[in-house]
């Protein structure tokens, strides 16, 4: 397997393999024990090619969302149908699996740094830094890093760039899609915000049903489709288009906003 070789980001594959195994073993009960993870779409994952696949998902916590994807992806690829029973799938995980994350977030502690080594493509946010709103240009090196990751394997991104629901999709995701022409697979998750704290490190409540739905790849005309059209497709696919608010009871929206305010106070 050449485990002592390095991937395109300089990570030693043998070390990455053991980090994934350890993190997976430590986190498994968060999705299969303390809480229940209900999965749909394992068969879609098994039908995908080994490289140039971009997963777009809504975002509920900093880290639990990504960790759940490592579990679901590897369990599905090892032949499990919509479940993560028996963590034997961690023995031979997919090593060319990456996720896009803010560099600032991945340098915020020991565990984030370990998780970063396990598969982060760290970028500088153009709209926010150190809790303040900013407006800076996209670094071409960040775009190149995402392209490198897509050429090597699968990449997970959270195109809203925040754990708050109903925020707009960042157009940078659409530009990456136009440039690299990946297979774009939407994922919709729920229940993580109720299960974990905002960082996704501490269990806030047990017995919560978490859901994880893998949808069919989007149909995109890479040459002729506009950036705005791709953005809108993503919004609908990950169920974050403003029109979804019209079918959600106002009392539920109010609860969500109150919870967000509480998180701001805590962190």
């Amino acid at each position: 397997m050449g485990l002592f070789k390095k991937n395109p980001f300089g990570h030693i594959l043998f070390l990455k393999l053991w980090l994934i195994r350890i993190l997976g073993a430590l986190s498994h009960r968060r999705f299969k024990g303390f809480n229940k993870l209900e999965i749909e779409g394992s068969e879609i994952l098994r039908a995908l090619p080994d490289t140039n696949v971009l997963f777009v998902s809504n975002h509920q916590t900093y880290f639990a969302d990504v960790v759940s994807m490592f579990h679901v992806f590897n369990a599905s690829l090892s032949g499990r149908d919509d479940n993560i029973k028996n963590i034997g799938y961690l023995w031979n995980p997919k090593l060319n699996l990456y996720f896009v994350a803010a560099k600032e977030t991945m340098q915020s502690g020991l565990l984030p740094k370990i998780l970063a080594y396990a598969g982060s493509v760290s970028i500088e946010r153009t709209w926010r830094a150190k809790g303040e709103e900013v407006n800076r240009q996209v670094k071409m090196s960040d775009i190149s890093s995402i392209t490198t990751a897509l050429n090597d394997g699968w990449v997970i991104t959270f195109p809203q760039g925040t754990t708050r629901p109903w925020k707009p999709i960042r157009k940078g995701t659409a530009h990456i899609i136009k440039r690299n022409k990946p297979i774009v697979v939407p994922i919709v998750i729920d229940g993580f915000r109720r299960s974990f704290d905002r960082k996704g490190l501490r269990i806030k409540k047990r017995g919560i049903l978490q859901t994880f739905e893998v949808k069919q790849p989007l149909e995109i005309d890479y040459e002729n489709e506009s950036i705005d059209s791709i953005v809108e497709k993503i919004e609908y696919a990950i169920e974050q288009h403003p029109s979804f608010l019209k079918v959600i009871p106002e009392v539920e929206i109010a609860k969500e906003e109150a919870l967000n305010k509480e998180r701001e106070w805590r962190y």
Side-chain angles (χ1 to χ4, degrees):
M1 293 179 63
L3 286 179
F4 287 97
K5 293 182 179 179
K6 295 182 178 180
N7 69 8
F9 297 96
H11 300 154
I12 300 171
L13 295 182
F14 180 78
L15 178 56
K16 182 173 180 177
L17 170 66
W18 277 99
L19 283 175
I20 291 173
R21 287 174 178 172
I22 293 169
L23 287 171
L26 291 174
S27 62
H28 186 256
R29 290 192 67 195
R30 291 168 174 256
F31 310 103
K32 181 68 179 174
F34 299 132
N35 295 296
K36 179 184 177 183
L37 185 63
E38 188 175 272
I39 304 164
E40 292 182 43
S42 291
E43 71 284 354
I44 296 172
L45 295 170
R46 288 194 289 271
L48 296 172
D50 190 49
T51 63
N52 205 31
V53 178
L54 181 68
F55 296 90
V56 291
S57 175
N58 63 313
H59 203 15
Q60 296 200 335
T61 73
Y62 289 173
F63 303 116
D65 306 5
V66 168
V67 173
S68 73
M69 292 178 188
F70 273 78
H71 279 289
V72 172
F73 290 2
N74 285 300
S76 299
L77 292 174
S78 68
R80 289 161 177 75
D81 290 319
D82 296 340
N83 73 79
I84 56 170
K85 295 177 182 177
N86 180 0
I87 59 172
Y89 56 79
L90 292 173
W91 188 251
N92 187 29
K94 184 176 177 65
L95 295 178
N96 57 341
L97 177 59
Y98 306 95
F99 62 96
V100 179
K103 187 177 295 183
E104 179 182 329
T105 301
M106 303 315 296
Q107 294 176 343
S108 61
L110 178 60
L111 185 58
K113 287 178 181 177
I114 293 173
L115 190 58
Y117 196 95
S120 167
V121 180
S122 298
I123 63 171
E124 288 190 8
R125 286 186 292 198
T126 59
W127 64 93
R128 194 168 181 82
K130 297 181 180 179
E132 302 291 335
E133 298 295 328
V134 299
N135 184 14
R136 57 191 177 197
Q137 291 184 332
V138 175
K139 292 181 67 173
M140 291 309 298
S141 58
D142 289 344
I143 300 296
S144 297
S145 294
I146 295 172
T147 297
T148 298
L150 283 169
N151 289 336
D152 187 61
W154 291 2
V155 177
I156 301 161
T157 188
F158 303 97
Q160 290 170 289
T162 177
T163 57
R164 296 182 181 179
W166 317 115
K167 294 299 180 180
I169 300 296
R170 301 288 170 181
K171 290 187 177 182
T173 302
H175 284 287
I176 290 168
I177 291 170
K178 290 274 284 186
R179 173 175 176 169
N180 295 286
K181 302 177 177 58
I183 294 175
V184 181
V185 181
I187 292 176
V188 177
I189 60 173
D190 196 20
F192 292 74
R193 191 176 281 115
R194 293 183 291 278
S195 304
F196 305 105
D197 63 4
R198 189 178 185 184
K199 290 185 177 181
L201 300 177
R202 181 176 62 84
I203 297 173
K204 187 169 64 177
K205 193 171 183 180
R206 304 187 182 203
I208 298 295
L209 175 62
Q210 304 160 339
T211 59
F212 189 114
E213 181 185 3
V214 183
K215 296 187 175 182
Q216 291 291 344
L218 296 180
E219 293 184 8
I220 298 174
D221 184 341
Y222 301 105
E223 301 298 334
N224 302 310
E225 201 155 347
S226 69
I227 294 296
D228 287 340
S229 174
I230 295 174
V231 165
E232 186 176 49
K233 280 187 175 180
I234 294 173
E235 285 178 330
Y236 277 110
I238 66 173
E239 300 178 9
Q240 292 295 301
H241 189 272
S243 64
F244 281 85
L245 286 169
K246 296 178 182 179
V247 297
I248 298 176
E250 289 187 12
V251 64
E252 292 299 323
I253 297 173
K255 286 181 181 178
E256 193 63 52
E257 288 301 319
L259 191 56
N260 283 331
K261 288 293 182 183
E262 182 182 350
R263 290 196 192 96
E264 286 179 11
W265 181 80
R266 287 180 178 176
Y267 297 100

